[in-house]
Amino acid sequence: MKIKFGSIEETIITRDEFPLSKAREILKQETISVLGYGIQGPGQSLNLRDNGFQVIVGQRKDSSSWDKALKDGWIEGKNLFSLEEASERGTILMYLLSDAGQISFWPTLIKYLIEGKSLYFSHGFGLTFCHQTKIYPSKKIDIFLVAPKGSGTSLRRLFQQGKGINSSYAIYQDYSGNSLEKTLSIGIGIGSGYLFETNFKNEVFSDLVGERGTLMGAIQGIFSAQYQILREKGHSPSESFNETVEELTQSLMPLVSEKGMDWMYANCSTTAQRGALDWWKKFRDATLPIFQELYHEVSSGNEAKRIIKVNSNVDYRKKLQKELQDLRQSELWKVGSIIRNLRPEEKKDKKL
């Protein structure tokens, strides 16, 4: 379907016009090989399996992800294989290793990308920054992308709830002439709520900016700053956390999700409305230069270069765990852990 935002028209694919039965019919002769069982691999592979597609998983043996795959019901030798064997067996290779993992495995994978196969991504990083990743695919394969707009954990949870997470889709190379049908079929198969069109470059630019901005980086920075100033001014940890995080995530964001920011404002006190309307532009103006800098660093390739270098360090995982531990042990999130356990639903779950 087509939707218009002013003078801009976009293509949106919903489950009504592209039903699951159609997706299964299109891919009935395909073996979908999910390479990588880290962030996106579990959600996408399990959803595809539950939706009736022929799916196998490829993962490095003797890893925590291999063990997780076994726990999730994948069977070694039947539908769980090494990365190499899964690459050979699959006709659609879903390249869901981390960006660093994709770079490392690429010299091996390319041997299996023979004419007639398809290469699938959920991120435009590897091909958009190919001069740095050295990922140069064959011209005789289909290459396409479906990128869920959320974590693999959310993709799976919403699927199990009978809901769906929105995804973007893009065609990079249409060798067979059937890439669009295969792309949309997988998009529906993994449980997308609806699919909107993009291209590889726009996907990775928006994704990197979003992760560093409002989705993760900026929101943690704002949480930290507000919590700090409240604590410095004598507010208790409980009060500071509730006013910074808990009320946002438990009360206000669900209202925004339901009907938009204006509706959330309309359902708050007049004092809150007035303050929010008077102050939001100050925060926009203060952060706009940071977002301008961020977009430049992403679009220039500088951010990709930095990420590849850092993620390729042999001690990256060890340093990452230290950074996450520091975050977890900060007062803000230690308080958060305690507050979450006080929620009525949490107490109810523990009694069951």
Side-chain angles (χ1 to χ4, degrees), residues 4-18:
K4 294 195 72 173
F5 300 97
S7 61
I8 299 174
E9 186 175 76
E10 291 193 38
T11 300
I12 301 293
I13 306 298
T14 70
R15 297 174 181 177
D16 291 335
E17 60 200 12
F18 205 102

Side-chain angles (χ1 to χ4, degrees), residues 120-249:
Y120 166 103
F121 292 87
S122 278
H123 193 22
F125 190 95
L127 292 184
T128 299
F129 301 114
C130 57
H131 296 304
Q132 298 181 54
T133 64
K134 308 304 179 186
I135 293 178
Y136 297 104
S138 163
K139 299 294 185 182
K140 295 185 177 182
I141 61 173
D142 291 339
I143 305 173
F144 45 86
L145 167 154
V146 177
K149 296 297 102 179
S151 70
T153 300
S154 298
L155 181 73
R156 181 62 176 166
R157 285 178 180 173
L158 288 170
F159 175 84
Q160 291 175 316
Q161 294 169 11
K163 302 177 183 178
I165 203 167
N166 303 325
S167 303
S168 61
Y169 72 92
I171 309 296
Y172 185 87
Q173 189 167 281
D174 185 18
Y175 178 72
S176 70
N178 300 315
S179 291
L180 180 59
E181 282 195 330
K182 287 188 280 189
T183 304
L184 299 180
S185 296
I186 290 185
I188 294 299
I190 66 174
S192 301
Y194 69 76
L195 296 144
F196 61 94
E197 191 173 14
T198 187
N199 58 55
F200 273 60
K201 183 177 75 172
N202 283 354
E203 190 286 325
V204 70
F205 286 5
S206 62
D207 189 67
L208 294 183
V209 169
E211 290 167 349
R212 286 144 186 77
T214 59
L215 301 179
M216 296 173 68
I219 197 68
Q220 165 59 19
I222 291 171
F223 282 165
S224 182
Q226 179 169 304
Y227 183 86
Q228 178 180 327
I229 197 67
L230 289 174
R231 292 290 287 120
E232 287 176 355
K233 297 302 181 182
H235 298 269
S236 70
S238 292
E239 183 171 62
S240 300
F241 184 84
N242 273 281
E243 289 296 336
T244 300
V245 178
E246 193 76 350
E247 186 173 351
L248 174 70
T249 59

Side-chain angles (χ1 to χ4, degrees), residues 21 110 114 121 154 189:
S21 58
I110 197 169
I114 61 176
F121 292 87
S154 298

Side-chain angles (χ1 to χ4, degrees), residues 21-39:
S21 58
K22 179 179 179 179
R24 281 197 289 251
E25 178 64 24
I26 290 170
L27 299 183
K28 66 181 180 180
Q29 301 299 325
E30 304 281 358
T31 297
I32 303 170
S33 181
V34 177
L35 304 179
Y37 207 75
I39 303 302

